[in-house]
Amino acid sequence: MSKHLVKFLPDDISLTVETGTNVLRAASIAGIEIKSVCGGKGSCGRCAIKVQQGQVRLEGGNRSKKMKEQGLNLACQTFIEGDVVIEVPKDSRLEEHQVVLENENHKVLAESELDLLSGYEFKPLCRKVQLTLEPPTLTENASDLTRLQAELRQKTACKELMVELPVLQQLAEALRQEDWKVTATLACMNGITEIVQVEPGHVQNDGYGLAVDIGTTTVVVYVVDLATGDLVDSRGTYNKQARYGDDVISRMIHAGEKNGLDDLRKAVIGSINELIDKLLEKNNISPDDVHVAVTAGNTTMAHLLLGLPPKYIRLEPYIPTATELPPVKARLLGININPEAWVLSFPAVASYVGGDIVAGVLAAKMAKVEMMTLFIDIGTNGEIVLGNNEFLISCACSAGPAFEGGGITFGMRAMGGAIERVSIDPETFDVSLMIIGNEKPIGICGSGLIDCMAKLHRVGLIDRTGQFFRDKDTPRLRKSEDGWEYVLAWAEESGVDKDVVITEADIKNLLRSKGAVFAGIQSLLKSMQLDVNMIEKIIIAGGFGNYLNVDDAVQIGLLPDVDRDRYEFMGNTSVKGAKLALLSQDAYKECKELGHLMTYLELSAGTTFMDEFVSATFIPHTDLTLFPSLNKDEQGKEVK
Amino acid sequence: MSKHLVKFLPDDISLTVETGTNVLRAASIAGIEIKSVCGGKGSCGRCAIKVQQGQVRLEGGNRSKKMKEQGLNLACQTFIEGDVVIEVPKDSRLEEHQVVLENENHKVLAESELDLLSGYEFKPLCRKVQLTLEPPTLTENASDLTRLQAELRQKTACKELMVELPVLQQLAEALRQEDWKVTATLACMNGITEIVQVEPGHVQNDGYGLAVDIGTTTVVVYVVDLATGDLVDSRGTYNKQARYGDDVISRMIHAGEKNGLDDLRKAVIGSINELIDKLLEKNNISPDDVHVAVTAGNTTMAHLLLGLPPKYIRLEPYIPTATELPPVKARLLGININPEAWVLSFPAVASYVGGDIVAGVLAAKMAKVEMMTLFIDIGTNGEIVLGNNEFLISCACSAGPAFEGGGITFGMRAMGGAIERVSIDPETFDVSLMIIGNEKPIGICGSGLIDCMAKLHRVGLIDRTGQFFRDKDTPRLRKSEDGWEYVLAWAEESGVDKDVVITEADIKNLLRSKGAVFAGIQSLLKSMQLDVNMIEKIIIAGGFGNYLNVDDAVQIGLLPDVDRDRYEFMGNTSVKGAKLALLSQDAYKECKELGHLMTYLELSAGTTFMDEFVSATFIPHTDLTLFPSLNKDEQGKEVK
């Protein structure tokens, strides 16, 4: 096979690839992350690139008129057949800084984290112990290990002290280097204590741990000081698995291909390592001083991290290899911390209620309070947990990608240029927008979509089924070749040189998404014979919640119509739960119990969910008694 | 650096080495095992080779006159400086078939092995369980692992069932391949049960285990059927570490050199793997069906196997890194069996009483009986254990290499051509010999030396200090340039074309060796305030015992003068103990306790041993009351 030189601009990175390689793949090898929602199927149109020079073969794929005009091709549909020069526009790139973290106001977070430990003893999974051993003699000639263990037993009350080979291999020199003064690092989990490091001398630092949230879209790493429990720093980035598809399903399919599982494993570990490397360098921490990592992710992400095939998660009856995942040494996973550090995975409940949700329930302390709580994490899947200290029941509903901008004409994630709030004048039907980053609008994010639908309905532009009233007199409402649409921003105001619109098809997609989530909530309530009014607290988890307006969400029938002060936004509960487990051995133990304790309601096994879904694909619902505040507040405008 | 081509004959193996490489090293890289007692120091004269062609640089070293005449050089002192052709004579090679195993009469061994388990329940460390699982459904949707664990719990009464990542990675497919019929292999040790393999379908074989004795000189592997406890086959070979020196001390020194520890680790694992490969192929067993290995070796061998530096074993106060060694997966060690198999190491008592001795004590069931027992394993070190079910005390005495043929002019190991029995006519002082393999004599092995010394003394050729009576009238007694010597075989009868002799220096060496062992026995007895007559059983362990004549040994004062029927030869107790642990979880548990239970008496800490040693370097001893049978039987010939 012949090889060709590919040069990427403006990065000025060159590499050699085999003939027939597509540009998406070549860019990925070169470390250039190109957006790909569809996973290289040619359908999402996000991976636009420009062939500046050289021979390529183009296949089909979904290119917009504008792309054609600008001479842009889809990276996944462009196959290299000679030496080429490829330009990757900024818009096609996944950029790290686009990941919104919560620690923008660092101080506030650090303080709020203090609450996290309430109810738990501060007892981190790892700690350092300084020792001064008696040197051996001809008559006191116990082995190095026996000597160390005896002293540790005396100092810590730990009985069984395990040690693995790599630590043992260094032990003799470590003990003697500073004349029998040493610092031992102990990992305590599952009732077992292991000596994971022995350093010569009395080391001053107390070691660090990582809390890691592995999301389908983003990966977030917290560096935590295990002596104080303080958050040292945090950082997020895109999950590099995105190159194999934006959603979980595309990745599961890729995992079934040759080397696919390994691709995905390496990609997510690459993302985690990138964050770790930067965080540790910035904070001047040696990788060897990081002694434990707790990860939380959905069941598929947890499987991919450990190289477990997700095949049967995808196929009915949706069975994961394991919900309780064994601890694995960092050296086996290739994570850039102390090779002897344990990497722990939060247990899952089922294929579609994963460790991220268990971490969330732990962080929210749902199992510790009497208050009936509803926990909702909305993404491509909506995961919902209902319960209190007496029971916990969970389900997952396929919300589709609409809330994350997928399947929506101008849909995008919540980042600079995204419309997040919409106001529509009820008389003129004119619009004013709020844009993230005060940039020119280039698309609309999930919270913007919800707001937009609420407003379109409130001003009477759409009916309860999401259809436009065709007779409204405004130039913004028009029929294009793809059907009816409403113009949110004219081309001259927008950042994309064309009209930014929301179509009737977009609205129908959104209706299905919100319908699925609400139907999930109703199914859980019905299974426990509870009523929506009995919910005393609703926790909104996940990045989506950062921008969500509860009134809008209630108005379109996405969230239950209860007192707004029962709602609580907890942000990234997955990483918070991981941090809690890191800092409290009891919390870690509890999370393993939670995995067993939480019941899983499989929505596809029965008719309740389907009935509820049909009723919920209206604005706000077929049963208006479920939304009493709407009837009261907006009686005049309620569309029958 | 320039490179040269080296060709070895008659093997016809060629390889390229850097200029200045010595021939011993080059041969080792080529897989040709050349004898080297001194570890390449040029002193032992065993690594004779012939440079047939090409340029070499010769350094010094100890070459015999005969070697010079025959144009032989020392491989370790011959440095390659151009393309060369090297001939390696048969005598310079370590050959596998020279290792004497006990299984020459296979049937007898297999039967005798039945006794091994007496007192223990047959409960191997690994076993297979056949299962038929209920397939999952939408409502019975537990994870694969949970499903498997639940069924195993029901079938086996094991509660905690661990699993490591590699088994988990294969689990989903293994369960589904034969429609939820599977065979799980469980490893049960230390109270923990681990699923180490899951095979699709109901597998018929019950899996195998290995018992491995890692001696400084030889490595022996038993393949054991874990379903029946039967010995399937066994095999021994030289420990390839011999290329870095014949004795433990040379190897410890090599371990301190650059990459030395890794050299030694790889060498012993190479020896083990060679045996395993041949045994499994011959018996048509797949490496994947070998699920556990139990190894026993002296403390240094155990350290080298695991890559633990032996440096402080050698230096006073002689401290090993660990006496209790952690189980390690075969994949981590690189042993050619199922990668998930555990490789277990017998615990040691101290630096010079290792896991081989603990295995021996276990096999001899010393800790289970009231009978006061003395256990003796004689090699370069004599390891001695005294005790019963109430106490166990052990020591190690440096016997030196004489019993293994080291430091003796014509000393050699017990192999073809070695003199093993000597008769001397009390009138003519003429000699008749018994030679191993009925070959022409080329040297004398340890048991031959002991017999020779006993006979020389009995016929009045040497006095109690080992000095020849210079006035005896026989051509066999003569003074050479190296001192007085006695001719055992004339050049024309020998296999080496020269007179095979025993020198006064040889006899003094042997006296020191036997003195050290007897002084060790006396020191143990005195420490417990016991008398030699209180010993009810004496177990002679190790290959040396295979050829040892007790009467001879008592006669020279090597072994205690008690009723001969109290003596028992147990052969390779190290591999027998390993086999016992393999077949009985209780025995494995007990061996770990034995490691703690056995006291270690450090002979160099005190004056008892030195006093005893001085008294014991006479034939048979300064205190003749210790040897009553000698006074009785041979009163007439006793030399005052």
Side-chain angles (χ1 to χ4, degrees):
Chain A
M1 258 205 176
S2 49
K3 300 231 175 189
H4 309 297
L5 190 72
V6 185
K7 184 179 194 171
F8 285 102
L9 295 179
D11 313 77
D12 200 20
I13 294 173
S14 296
L15 77 163
T16 309
V17 298
E18 287 188 350
T19 201
T21 305
N22 75 41
V23 172
L24 187 63
R25 175 92 187 119
S28 144
I29 298 166
I32 296 166
E33 302 292 334
I34 295 182
K35 288 177 193 167
S36 170
V37 175
C38 66
K41 305 279 180 284
S43 58
C44 73
R46 301 299 166 98
C47 61
I49 51 97
K50 193 171 215 158
V51 180
Q52 284 208 346
Q53 201 178 298
Q55 197 188 336
V56 297
R57 176 171 53 81
L58 298 172
E59 290 199 353
N62 179 23
R63 278 200 301 161
S64 69
K65 202 175 145 204
K66 192 182 164 197
M67 279 181 72
K68 288 174 190 161
E69 285 166 11
Q70 296 184 337
L72 294 171
N73 293 308
L74 297 175
C76 66
Q77 303 297 314
T78 305
F79 297 87
I80 295 157
E81 304 218 316
D83 291 354
V84 290
V85 177
I86 306 286
E87 185 191 331
V88 183
K90 192 163 176 293
D91 286 354
S92 303
R93 292 168 185 261
L94 287 173
E95 300 282 350
E96 191 199 327
H97 66 79
Q98 294 168 336
V99 173
V100 179
L101 271 185
E102 294 162 276
N103 69 330
E104 284 162 12
N105 191 336
H106 199 245
K107 196 152 182 301
V108 171
L109 185 74
E111 277 170 12
S112 81
E113 293 293 317
L114 288 178
D115 286 331
L116 193 60
L117 259 174
S118 81
Y120 294 94
E121 191 186 350
F122 175 66
K123 220 164 120 190
L125 295 183
C126 271
R127 63 176 173 139
K128 297 203 170 187
V129 185
Q130 300 187 342
L131 304 167
T132 304
L133 305 177
E134 280 297 313
T137 65
L138 274 180
T139 46
E140 295 295 329
N141 55 5
S143 76
D144 290 345
L145 180 61
T146 303
R147 186 167 304 271
L148 177 68
Q149 285 171 327
E151 187 71 16
L152 277 170
R153 268 191 213 102
Q154 211 164 19
K155 266 215 153 179
T156 66
C158 296
K159 271 190 205 161
E160 281 245 42
L161 283 156
M162 316 292 288
V163 62
E164 286 202 7
L165 199 50
V167 171
L168 213 48
Q169 286 170 337
Q170 310 298 327
L171 184 60
E173 293 303 335
L175 294 183
R176 288 165 180 82
Q177 200 171 306
E178 297 276 338
D179 202 21
W180 303 93
K181 276 197 179 68
V182 291
T183 305
T185 306
L186 304 180
C188 309
M189 333 170 288
N190 308 327
I192 293 166
T193 304
E194 182 187 328
I195 306 166
V196 290
Q197 191 178 40
V198 180
E199 296 164 274
H202 288 171
V203 171
Q204 289 313 318
N205 83 71
D206 281 271
Y208 299 88
L210 304 181
V212 184
D213 166 45
I214 305 172
T216 307
T217 310
T218 58
V219 175
V220 174
V221 173
Y222 278 16
V223 179
V224 180
D225 185 321
L226 295 178
T228 60
D230 286 346
L231 177 68
V232 176
D233 203 350
S234 62
R235 199 172 179 117
T237 189
Y238 278 96
N239 186 335
K240 286 183 205 288
Q241 289 178 340
R243 72 179 66 144
Y244 307 108
D246 227 31
D247 59 279
V248 170
I249 300 294
S250 324
R251 296 196 204 156
M252 289 200 256
I253 292 170
H254 185 79
E257 290 168 10
K258 199 184 159 209
N259 299 328
L261 183 55
D262 208 43
D263 287 343
L264 289 160
R265 194 183 58 76
K266 284 180 183 155
V268 68
I269 286 177
S271 303
I272 295 170
N273 279 341
E274 195 179 294
L275 292 174
I276 292 173
D277 294 350
K278 287 178 185 170
L279 283 165
L280 299 189
E281 199 194 335
K282 183 179 153 205
N283 294 284
N284 206 16
I285 295 170
S286 156
D288 276 343
D289 286 331
V290 181
H291 297 290
V292 59
V294 178
T295 72
N298 66 49
T299 307
T300 302
M301 288 303 116
H303 273 52
L304 296 177
L305 177 74
L306 300 184
L308 304 174
K311 184 174 170 186
Y312 300 100
I313 293 179
R314 184 165 71 90
L315 304 175
E316 202 182 307
Y318 320 117
I319 307 297
T321 289
T323 44
E324 198 162 325
L325 297 159
V328 181
K329 288 277 176 176
R331 62 178 141 89
L332 280 182
L333 288 183
I335 291 191
N336 292 350
I337 55 178
N338 190 310
E340 291 310 304
W342 284 109
V343 179
L344 311 173
S345 299
F346 256 82
V349 175
S351 274
Y352 291 100
V353 174
D356 51 346
I357 302 304
V358 174
V361 167
L362 181 77
K365 304 187 172 87
M366 275 179 75
K368 291 216 155 192
V369 293
E370 263 182 69
M371 199 183 278
M372 184 58 58
T373 309
L374 186 71
F375 176 99
I376 309 177
D377 188 339
I378 301 173
T380 304
N381 273 321
E383 290 115 338
I384 308 164
V385 187
L386 174 70
N388 60 6
N389 57 3
E390 289 186 352
F391 75 92
L392 287 166
I393 184 164
S394 62
C395 73
C397 47
S398 177
F403 294 131
E404 290 175 338
I408 303 292
T409 316
F410 280 85
M412 65 181 290
R413 292 185 194 282
M415 53 178 77
I419 299 167
E420 60 165 336
R421 309 281 300 151
V422 177
S423 301
I424 304 178
D425 186 308
E427 305 301 324
T428 62
F429 301 123
D430 212 9
V431 167
S432 66
L433 304 171
M434 227 164 92
I435 319 290
I436 298 180
N438 283 323
E439 298 175 24
K440 284 186 171 182
I442 58 175
I444 184 163
C445 66
S447 55
L449 279 168
I450 291 166
D451 193 30
C452 185
M453 183 194 261
K455 300 297 164 59
L456 285 171
H457 183 241
R458 191 180 300 182
V459 301
L461 275 168
I462 53 174
D463 66 16
R464 288 179 61 191
T465 70
Q467 189 165 302
F468 283 111
F469 290 99
R470 273 88 165 112
D471 57 351
K472 296 294 169 184
D473 181 26
T474 164
R476 289 188 180 263
L477 185 63
R478 69 192 186 191
K479 194 181 179 189
S480 77
E481 56 191 23
D482 295 326
W484 286 84
E485 61 188 26
Y486 179 79
V487 180
L488 290 167
W490 299 105
E492 57 270 24
E493 309 157 353
S494 85
V496 286
D497 291 333
K498 60 179 170 182
D499 298 346
V500 174
V501 303
I502 182 165
T503 70
E504 213 167 76
D506 294 342
I507 293 169
K508 299 275 179 176
N509 267 344
L510 192 63
L511 266 182
R512 279 191 292 274
S513 291
K514 79 96 189 169
V517 172
F518 194 79
I521 296 169
Q522 284 290 99
S523 301
L524 282 189
L525 287 167
K526 287 207 167 166
S527 78
M528 299 307 295
Q529 293 173 304
L530 290 176
D531 184 273
V532 74
N533 289 313
M534 294 169 176
I535 304 171
E536 293 164 276
K537 184 156 126 185
I538 299 182
I539 292 169
I540 306 293
F544 184 60
N546 288 338
Y547 297 96
L548 188 73
N549 179 289
V550 174
D551 275 323
D552 290 345
V554 173
Q555 200 124 33
I556 67 163
L558 165 63
L559 294 178
D561 186 9
V562 296
D563 270 2
R564 301 302 182 264
D565 56 12
R566 295 190 192 172
Y567 279 90
E568 200 169 280
F569 291 86
M570 279 195 61
N572 189 335
T573 51
S574 172
V575 75
K576 285 193 172 85
K579 187 186 162 193
L580 177 54
L582 198 61
L583 294 180
S584 162
Q585 294 174 29
D586 294 337
Y588 178 65
K589 197 175 157 218
E590 193 182 308
C591 85
K592 304 189 78 173
E593 291 160 2
L594 273 181
H596 298 292
L597 210 70
M598 285 166 73
T599 316
Y600 176 65
L601 182 68
E602 175 57 58
L603 297 179
S604 64
T607 57
T608 309
F609 176 75
M610 216 46 213
D611 294 344
E612 288 294 334
F613 177 67
V614 170
S615 303
T617 49
F618 288 81
I619 304 172
H621 199 274
T622 53
D623 179 2
L624 291 180
T625 64
L626 287 169
F627 291 86
S629 80
L630 301 192
N631 287 321
K632 250 178 271 160
D633 293 3
E634 314 235 300
Q635 229 164 8
K637 293 202 178 94
E638 185 61 39
V639 181
K640 294 278 143 39
Chain B
M1 255 199 181
S2 50
K3 300 231 174 189
H4 309 298
L5 190 72
V6 185
K7 183 179 192 169
F8 285 101
L9 293 178
D11 314 76
D12 200 20
I13 293 173
S14 297
L15 78 160
T16 308
V17 299
E18 286 189 351
T19 202
T21 304
N22 75 41
V23 173
L24 187 64
R25 175 94 187 118
S28 144
I29 297 168
I32 297 166
E33 300 293 332
I34 294 182
K35 289 178 194 167
S36 170
V37 175
C38 67
K41 306 278 179 282
S43 57
C44 72
R46 301 297 167 97
C47 62
I49 51 98
K50 193 171 216 160
V51 180
Q52 285 208 344
Q53 202 177 298
Q55 196 189 336
V56 297
R57 175 171 53 83
L58 298 171
E59 289 202 351
N62 179 23
R63 280 200 302 163
S64 68
K65 202 175 147 205
K66 191 182 164 200
M67 278 181 72
K68 286 175 190 161
E69 284 167 11
Q70 296 183 338
L72 294 172
N73 292 309
L74 297 175
C76 67
Q77 302 298 313
T78 305
F79 297 86
I80 295 159
E81 303 218 317
D83 292 353
V84 291
V85 178
I86 305 286
E87 185 191 331
V88 184
K90 192 163 176 298
D91 287 353
S92 303
R93 291 168 186 261
L94 287 173
E95 299 282 348
E96 191 198 329
H97 66 79
Q98 295 170 334
V99 173
V100 178
L101 269 188
E102 294 162 274
N103 68 332
E104 283 162 13
N105 191 336
H106 200 244
K107 195 152 181 302
V108 171
L109 184 73
E111 276 170 9
S112 81
E113 292 293 317
L114 288 178
D115 287 331
L116 193 60
L117 258 173
S118 79
Y120 293 95
E121 190 187 350
F122 176 65
K123 218 164 119 191
L125 295 183
C126 270
R127 62 173 172 140
K128 296 202 173 191
V129 185
Q130 299 185 342
L131 304 167
T132 305
L133 305 177
E134 282 296 314
T137 64
L138 274 180
T139 47
E140 295 294 330
N141 55 5
S143 76
D144 290 345
L145 179 61
T146 303
R147 187 168 302 271
L148 177 69
Q149 284 171 327
E151 187 72 16
L152 277 170
R153 269 192 213 104
Q154 209 163 21
K155 267 215 153 179
T156 66
C158 296
K159 269 191 206 161
E160 279 246 43
L161 284 155
M162 315 293 286
V163 62
E164 285 203 7
L165 199 51
V167 171
L168 214 48
Q169 286 170 337
Q170 309 298 327
L171 184 60
E173 293 303 334
L175 293 183
R176 287 165 181 84
Q177 200 171 305
E178 298 275 339
D179 201 21
W180 302 93
K181 276 196 179 69
V182 290
T183 304
T185 307
L186 304 181
C188 309
M189 329 169 292
N190 307 328
I192 292 166
T193 304
E194 181 186 326
I195 307 166
V196 290
Q197 192 179 39
V198 180
E199 296 166 274
H202 287 169
V203 171
Q204 288 312 317
N205 83 72
D206 280 271
Y208 300 89
L210 304 180
V212 183
D213 165 45
I214 305 173
T216 307
T217 311
T218 59
V219 176
V220 173
V221 173
Y222 278 15
V223 179
V224 180
D225 185 322
L226 295 180
T228 61
D230 286 347
L231 178 68
V232 176
D233 202 351
S234 63
R235 199 173 182 118
T237 188
Y238 277 98
N239 186 336
K240 286 183 204 289
Q241 287 178 343
R243 75 179 64 145
Y244 306 109
D246 228 29
D247 60 277
V248 170
I249 300 293
S250 322
R251 297 198 203 155
M252 288 200 260
I253 292 169
H254 185 80
E257 288 168 13
K258 200 187 159 209
N259 299 326
L261 182 55
D262 208 43
D263 287 343
L264 290 160
R265 194 182 59 75
K266 283 180 183 155
V268 68
I269 286 178
S271 303
I272 296 170
N273 279 341
E274 195 178 295
L275 293 173
I276 292 173
D277 293 349
K278 286 178 184 169
L279 283 165
L280 299 190
E281 199 193 335
K282 183 179 155 208
N283 294 283
N284 206 16
I285 294 170
S286 156
D288 275 343
D289 286 331
V290 181
H291 297 289
V292 60
V294 178
T295 72
N298 65 48
T299 308
T300 303
M301 288 302 118
H303 272 54
L304 296 178
L305 176 74
L306 300 184
L308 304 175
K311 182 172 170 188
Y312 300 100
I313 293 179
R314 184 165 70 92
L315 304 175
E316 200 181 307
Y318 319 117
I319 306 297
T321 290
T323 45
E324 198 163 326
L325 297 158
V328 182
K329 288 275 174 175
R331 63 178 142 88
L332 279 183
L333 288 183
I335 291 191
N336 292 349
I337 56 177
N338 189 310
E340 291 309 304
W342 285 108
V343 179
L344 310 174
S345 300
F346 256 81
V349 175
S351 273
Y352 291 100
V353 174
D356 51 345
I357 302 305
V358 175
V361 167
L362 181 77
K365 302 186 173 86
M366 276 177 76
K368 290 216 155 194
V369 294
E370 263 182 69
M371 197 182 277
M372 185 59 58
T373 309
L374 186 71
F375 176 100
I376 308 178
D377 188 341
I378 302 174
T380 304
N381 272 322
E383 290 114 339
I384 308 164
V385 187
L386 174 71
N388 59 5
N389 58 3
E390 288 185 354
F391 75 91
L392 288 166
I393 184 164
S394 63
C395 73
C397 47
S398 177
F403 294 130
E404 291 174 338
I408 303 292
T409 315
F410 280 85
M412 65 183 289
R413 292 188 193 280
M415 54 177 76
I419 298 167
E420 60 166 336
R421 309 281 300 148
V422 177
S423 298
I424 303 178
D425 187 306
E427 306 299 325
T428 64
F429 301 122
D430 212 8
V431 168
S432 67
L433 303 173
M434 225 166 92
I435 318 289
I436 297 180
N438 283 321
E439 299 176 24
K440 283 187 171 180
I442 59 175
I444 184 161
C445 66
S447 56
L449 278 168
I450 290 167
D451 193 31
C452 185
M453 184 194 259
K455 301 297 163 58
L456 286 171
H457 185 239
R458 191 178 302 183
V459 301
L461 276 169
I462 54 175
D463 66 16
R464 288 179 62 190
T465 69
Q467 189 165 302
F468 283 110
F469 289 101
R470 273 85 165 114
D471 56 352
K472 298 293 170 183
D473 180 24
T474 164
R476 289 188 180 263
L477 185 63
R478 68 191 186 193
K479 193 180 179 189
S480 79
E481 55 191 24
D482 295 329
W484 287 81
E485 61 188 27
Y486 179 78
V487 180
L488 290 167
W490 300 106
E492 55 271 26
E493 310 157 349
S494 86
V496 285
D497 292 333
K498 59 179 171 182
D499 299 345
V500 175
V501 303
I502 182 166
T503 69
E504 213 166 75
D506 294 343
I507 292 168
K508 299 274 180 178
N509 267 344
L510 193 62
L511 266 182
R512 277 190 293 274
S513 291
K514 79 95 189 169
V517 172
F518 194 79
I521 296 170
Q522 283 291 100
S523 300
L524 282 190
L525 286 167
K526 288 208 167 165
S527 77
M528 298 308 297
Q529 292 172 305
L530 290 176
D531 185 270
V532 75
N533 289 312
M534 294 169 176
I535 303 172
E536 292 163 275
K537 183 156 128 185
I538 299 182
I539 292 168
I540 307 293
F544 183 61
N546 288 338
Y547 296 96
L548 188 72
N549 179 289
V550 174
D551 274 325
D552 289 346
V554 173
Q555 202 121 33
I556 68 164
L558 166 62
L559 294 178
D561 186 8
V562 296
D563 270 2
R564 301 302 182 263
D565 56 11
R566 294 190 192 172
Y567 278 90
E568 200 169 282
F569 290 87
M570 279 195 61
N572 189 334
T573 50
S574 171
V575 74
K576 284 194 175 85
K579 187 185 162 193
L580 178 54
L582 198 59
L583 295 180
S584 161
Q585 292 173 31
D586 294 339
Y588 177 65
K589 197 175 157 216
E590 193 181 309
C591 85
K592 303 190 79 175
E593 291 159 3
L594 274 180
H596 298 291
L597 209 71
M598 286 166 72
T599 315
Y600 176 66
L601 183 68
E602 175 57 58
L603 297 179
S604 64
T607 58
T608 310
F609 176 75
M610 218 46 216
D611 295 344
E612 289 293 334
F613 176 68
V614 170
S615 303
T617 48
F618 289 82
I619 303 173
H621 198 273
T622 52
D623 180 3
L624 291 178
T625 64
L626 286 170
F627 291 85
S629 79
L630 301 191
N631 287 321
K632 251 178 265 159
D633 294 0
E634 315 235 303
Q635 228 161 10
K637 295 207 175 88
E638 184 60 40
V639 180
K640 294 275 144 40

